[in-house]
Amino acid sequence: MTTLMAILIGTFYAAAIYMMLRRSVVKLVIGLILLSNAANLLIFTVAGLERGIPPLIPKGQDVIAGAAADPLAQAVILTSIVIGFGVLAFAVVLIHRACEVVQTDDMNEMKGTD
Amino acid sequence: MKPRRFNMRSLILNTGSTLLLPLLVLFSLFLLLRGHDEPGGGFIGGLVAAAAVALKLFAEDYKAARDMLRVHPLQLVGVGLVLAALASLPALLVGQSFFTAQWWLVDLPIFGELKLSTPLLFDIGVFLGVIGTVLTVVFTLAEAEHS
Amino acid sequence: MDLEVLVALPIIIPLLLGAISLTVLSNHNAQRWIGAVGTALLLISSIALLFQTKDHGIQVLEVGSWPAPFGIVLVSDMLGAIMVVLACITGFATALYSLKTVRKRFERFGYYPLLHLLLAGVNGAFLTGDIFNLYVWFEVLLVASFALLILGGERAQMEGAIKYVTLNLLSSALFLTAIGLTYGLVGTLNMADIAVKLGSVDDQKMVTVIGSLFLIAFAIKAAAFPLFFWLPASYHTPQVAVSAIFAGLLTKVGVYALYRVFTLIFTADTGFTHEILLWIAILTMLTGVLGAAAQFEIRRILSFHIISQIGYMILGLALFTPLAIIGGVFYIMHHIIVKANLFLVAGLIYRLRGSFELKKLGGLYKDHPGLAILFLIPALSLAGVPPLSGFFAKFILIKAGVEASAWWAVGVALLVGLLTLFSMIKIWNEAFWKGTPEPAPAIPAPTRNALLYWTIGILAAMTVAIGIFAQPIYVMAEMAAHQLLNPSIYIEAVLGGQTP
């Protein structure tokens, strides 16, 4: 399973970088989305793919019964999903505005500041 | 090519949204208050509430959604952040480390025990902040279509 | 117990200020007052933190009373405290400068809340002791900087912003990947705890791989060679006050992260990582200064010089001797103030003459001798002319380079200093010395520039002061370097003796 995930994550990274290297701004956005998802999947995988119960202590007890999932990795992923969502939402608004102002979606024509 | 108009008005969506709106808002509050010990919380509650306003936007128009919210979404973010930041301070008054959770139990005559806490205050702040942030983005995009 | 809260104040104050300014978004006066008075308060609190750290050692605050390494800790060691003070000085100067230069339209868009948020993010990054929390603060300051960058919405800003956003998001993704791999290896996110546990990992090659990932991620943020090109493409486009705070602070957050990670965590294989850092430093110095030589727009020249100066700071880390680290820290202190000030001067030049292009400028010395002096101080300091702050910074670094027999680095550092002087003299000759070009630009000179002069003057006075009173500053840099080179002090402060 871990091997499968590793291949999947690798594909994600590769696809993301490939998309970011294209000239279209829309593909750039897709690349960014894939990239943040790849990182999240990676954290999910390295924290250990095991079957465990949710890391919540049942009412009236002091310890978790049995093997539980790692809550820290989940918290980290949740946080980074939220941050990624926020940053990407902003990036999309920005790129939308940029396309309107520059009147093109071709990265090769955005050379005014180089 | 004519720019596409932002027009998705349909009778079904319109009628449906009037019924769904109060439910969504109630559900978001439910999620917010449930959040401390069980799945739920300010973030997911805020998303549901923002979805309610976004539904209004799709069912009617930009203006109706803005009117429904009454305040500028960025002001909601501001209030939310103030609340969340204030939640860190009560711990200092009782000499504990910054951001330590404080709990106050209030006995209400009929309903029984009410648990108030700084995490709740923080969660309400997150709730407002999320509504504000999501709606700022949604409104900015809708405005671009609108004009 | 009570004074521990000082560690949190540099984060919580700007957050509160930003939030309050958001709620009064349409009240311009309130926003300006909150901006100026609030950042002054922030500066005072940061200075208090610096003295507390200097006198009583590393300050640690366990947020929410969750003990380290399980909760998030805020740690203020000398490097962190110094950086926070510098950030607050820049923030205060920018807020003052903004009072007169930022248009109402931008204030309504949320200029001040974004400024506060940026400061909160920067201070958070300097103070956190948790690697994932560092990522979160990076993103906070990144989002704020995105929005500040495009205020105004001109074509150049949009084009610059796309490059800025893309490269910085790529760097964040690499950073997150590195955090994920670290967590998979040692199962903790607390930096001190990571430093302890990485030593006992069997697969030391993997540790080096992760270190390299961090290196790439932070090098992009710091605008080091070869991934620096987003900086000159974007830094000259926004409002001048924004350019100043970006130039002063943002890349230095990347440099700070490099210093933190490569002195505390990845010190096992210095022969590999710090050798790479050394070559990055040399090439960064060289490309930056050569890029600047080809430019004829003040802000673009200054932007390229940021890159070459970043090279010096990384050089300090790469040499990895006590003297070199002292030099690096000293360099950061000197650079932040000088660079922010130079951008503010450029903004005042634009206000007086309506252009940043050297060809269209001229005669400023005749018309505004005061401004000319105020330009010369930071400009000569940047080039390293004694007795200004830049001289001591370069001197310490080059001495460290000689002691370490890093002749290439020493040679390049000297050459780059010379070329920097050439660049500054170019601006001086073109903008200040030569006659006013014909036809004279018909810009009605805006009055009431006193506040702007004062802001620039205060920063220039600091530059002089760092040069004249170099000894106390050197002592602080020495303390910072001592703590950096002995990670056990940091680890002890965070993990040891903390039993609740």
Side-chain angles (χ1 to χ4, degrees):
Chain A
M1 188 64 193
T2 315
T3 321
L4 207 63
M5 285 298 282
I7 294 169
L8 179 71
I9 294 165
T11 317
F12 259 65
Y13 274 106
I17 299 294
Y18 177 74
M19 288 303 243
M20 288 175 73
L21 293 175
R22 305 304 303 264
R23 280 159 55 179
S24 156
V25 207
V26 180
K27 289 185 179 142
L28 172 70
V29 173
I30 297 174
L32 289 174
I33 294 171
L34 284 179
L35 196 60
S36 72
N37 282 326
N40 290 335
L41 266 180
L42 179 92
I43 300 174
F44 179 68
T45 311
V46 294
L49 293 173
E50 284 158 36
R51 276 179 196 280
I53 54 168
L56 292 174
I57 300 172
K59 253 191 178 154
Q61 291 179 20
D62 291 334
V63 287
I64 298 174
D70 182 354
L72 187 61
Q74 297 184 4
V76 166
I77 294 171
L78 182 64
T79 315
S80 67
I81 287 176
V82 170
I83 292 175
F85 162 74
V87 175
L88 272 174
F90 185 85
V92 169
V93 172
L94 165 78
I95 287 171
H96 179 229
R97 283 271 304 281
C99 286
E100 274 179 358
V101 174
V102 186
Q103 304 244 315
T104 174
D105 72 336
D106 188 343
M107 290 299 280
N108 270 11
E109 299 189 6
M110 300 194 180
K111 282 182 177 164
T113 59
D114 282 342
Chain B
M1 196 177 77
K2 259 178 67 176
R4 269 187 298 146
R5 295 281 303 158
F6 191 79
N7 192 358
M8 290 169 55
R9 216 162 292 182
S10 88
L11 188 61
I12 300 172
L13 189 61
N14 232 331
T15 323
S17 77
T18 16
L19 293 171
L20 271 175
L21 262 181
L23 278 179
L24 276 174
V25 174
L26 264 182
F27 183 55
S28 79
L29 288 175
F30 165 74
L31 282 174
L32 165 69
L33 296 176
R34 186 172 184 262
H36 193 73
D37 296 326
E38 281 169 279
F43 184 78
I44 191 75
L47 280 182
V48 172
V53 183
L55 183 68
K56 183 90 172 168
L57 174 79
F58 289 129
E60 291 176 40
D61 60 357
Y62 172 59
K63 203 178 161 307
R66 277 303 293 268
D67 289 347
M68 180 180 153
L69 197 65
R70 284 161 198 265
V71 293
H72 196 281
L74 279 179
Q75 282 176 320
L76 275 185
V77 180
V79 175
L81 276 177
V82 170
L83 288 181
L86 285 182
S88 67
L89 301 180
L92 297 175
L93 298 179
V94 291
Q96 277 172 317
S97 183
F98 175 73
F99 242 125
T100 309
Q102 304 294 316
W103 293 84
W104 301 282
L105 298 178
V106 183
D107 274 320
L108 291 183
I110 303 166
F111 300 101
E113 196 175 62
L114 180 65
K115 273 194 202 167
L116 294 177
S117 65
T118 51
L120 177 68
L121 188 65
F122 186 82
D123 240 10
I124 295 174
V126 172
F127 180 74
L128 293 176
V130 169
I131 299 179
T133 318
V134 173
L135 288 182
T136 310
V137 174
V138 170
F139 283 169
T140 312
L141 286 173
E143 223 166 332
E145 294 276 346
H146 196 66
S147 52
Chain C
M1 186 83 234
D2 289 323
L3 285 171
E4 268 181 7
V5 75
L6 277 176
V7 187
L9 282 183
I11 302 171
I12 207 79
I13 290 178
L15 270 183
L16 261 179
L17 292 174
I20 295 170
S21 338
L22 258 185
T23 55
V24 292
L25 202 56
S26 47
N27 186 341
H28 298 285
N29 275 329
Q31 293 225 36
R32 287 173 197 162
W33 274 106
I34 295 171
V37 178
T39 45
L41 274 178
L42 181 63
L43 179 57
I44 294 168
S45 83
S46 70
I47 291 172
L49 175 65
L50 177 62
F51 278 106
Q52 177 74 11
T53 311
K54 187 164 173 272
D55 297 339
H56 301 281
I58 297 179
Q59 302 289 306
V60 179
L61 172 67
E62 290 172 340
V63 178
S65 301
W66 299 103
F70 305 110
I72 292 171
V73 285
L74 297 179
V75 186
S76 156
D77 67 341
M78 275 312 278
L79 178 66
I82 290 171
M83 297 300 285
V84 167
V85 170
L86 291 168
C88 296
I89 291 174
T90 323
F92 180 55
T94 311
L96 281 187
Y97 199 87
S98 306
L99 293 179
K100 289 275 180 252
T101 55
V102 173
R103 297 199 196 111
K104 282 202 166 160
R105 188 156 63 90
F106 301 145
E107 286 180 356
R108 215 170 300 126
F109 187 81
Y111 173 79
Y112 283 106
L114 287 169
L115 188 65
H116 294 304
L117 191 66
L118 184 73
L119 282 174
V122 171
N123 285 343
F126 291 152
L127 288 176
T128 185
D130 182 286
I131 193 93
F132 185 70
N133 201 230
L134 181 65
Y135 168 78
V136 173
W137 290 120
F138 262 112
E139 297 300 290
V140 167
L141 74 90
L142 209 56
V143 167
S145 69
F146 289 171
L148 284 172
L149 192 61
I150 56 160
L151 273 185
E154 282 165 26
R155 185 187 164 120
Q157 286 181 301
M158 291 300 175
E159 291 185 6
I162 286 194
K163 290 157 200 164
Y164 179 88
V165 167
T166 310
L167 257 292
N168 275 293
L169 285 183
L170 176 68
S171 144
S172 295
L174 290 176
F175 186 12
L176 190 59
T177 307
I179 292 173
L181 291 173
T182 314
Y183 183 71
L185 213 52
V186 292
T188 177
L189 293 171
N190 182 298
M191 288 200 263
D193 205 25
I194 293 174
V196 173
K197 291 198 173 136
L198 270 186
S200 54
V201 169
D202 294 331
D203 192 0
Q204 283 295 328
K205 289 212 174 68
M206 187 66 187
V207 175
T208 311
V209 169
I210 296 174
S212 314
L213 261 180
F214 276 114
L215 175 62
I216 299 169
F218 294 145
I220 296 178
K221 301 263 183 211
F225 183 86
L227 292 162
F228 59 83
F229 50 83
W230 56 270
L231 190 146
S234 59
Y235 267 29
H236 64 285
T237 58
Q239 306 296 307
V240 173
V242 176
S243 279
I245 198 164
F246 278 24
L249 285 183
L250 292 197
T251 46
K252 261 56 79 186
V253 183
V255 174
Y256 164 82
L258 280 175
Y259 266 76
R260 175 65 73 222
V261 168
F262 284 96
T263 56
L264 178 65
I265 301 176
F266 299 104
T267 48
D269 196 2
T270 47
F272 179 72
T273 48
H274 289 64
E275 183 72 19
I276 294 181
L277 276 171
L278 184 66
W279 285 102
I280 288 180
I282 292 174
L283 290 169
T284 308
M285 285 192 277
L286 211 55
T287 44
V289 86
L290 291 179
Q295 299 296 327
F296 290 94
E297 206 256 40
I298 297 181
R299 289 178 303 173
R300 302 196 70 153
I301 297 176
L302 294 177
S303 297
F304 272 104
H305 275 298
I306 299 176
I307 298 167
S308 80
Q309 310 278 314
I310 292 290
Y312 282 99
M313 297 169 206
I314 298 178
L315 176 63
L317 175 63
L319 293 173
F320 208 57
T321 60
L323 192 64
I325 302 270
I326 294 172
V329 175
F330 199 103
Y331 209 104
I332 296 174
M333 289 197 252
H334 133 79
H335 170 86
I336 289 181
I337 291 170
V338 164
K339 194 46 114 187
N341 202 10
L342 279 172
F343 268 92
L344 295 182
V345 172
L348 195 49
I349 292 177
Y350 182 79
R351 217 171 140 83
L352 296 168
R353 287 296 156 89
S355 176
F356 289 110
E357 295 288 339
L358 287 181
K359 291 202 172 74
K360 293 181 187 159
L361 290 169
L364 274 166
Y365 178 70
K366 205 171 135 216
D367 299 345
H368 306 280
L371 180 65
I373 303 289
L374 287 179
F375 168 77
L376 263 192
I377 294 172
L380 292 180
S381 178
L382 191 75
V385 173
L388 297 162
S389 59
F391 167 72
F392 291 103
K394 283 203 172 73
F395 177 72
I396 301 169
L397 270 179
I398 288 171
K399 184 156 183 280
V402 171
E403 280 178 9
S405 311
W407 302 113
W408 271 101
V410 171
V412 170
L414 287 170
L415 176 72
V416 169
L418 203 66
L419 288 173
T420 310
L421 189 62
F422 160 75
S423 261
M424 291 302 123
I425 289 177
K426 182 168 81 181
I427 299 181
W428 170 259
N429 277 343
E430 294 285 325
F432 291 90
W433 206 242
K434 81 172 185 215
T436 315
E438 299 296 329
I443 300 286
T447 48
R448 292 192 296 167
N449 287 335
L451 186 66
L452 307 184
Y453 273 108
W454 271 107
T455 314
I456 295 170
I458 292 170
L459 289 179
M462 279 183 193
T463 310
V464 178
I466 294 178
I468 295 174
F469 303 106
Q471 181 62 26
I473 306 283
Y474 181 85
V475 169
M476 279 202 276
E478 198 176 15
M479 287 175 74
H482 176 70
Q483 289 174 354
L484 286 177
L485 285 172
N486 297 289
S488 55
I489 302 175
Y490 184 96
I491 294 167
E492 179 85 6
V494 176
L495 296 177
Q498 290 285 326
T499 39

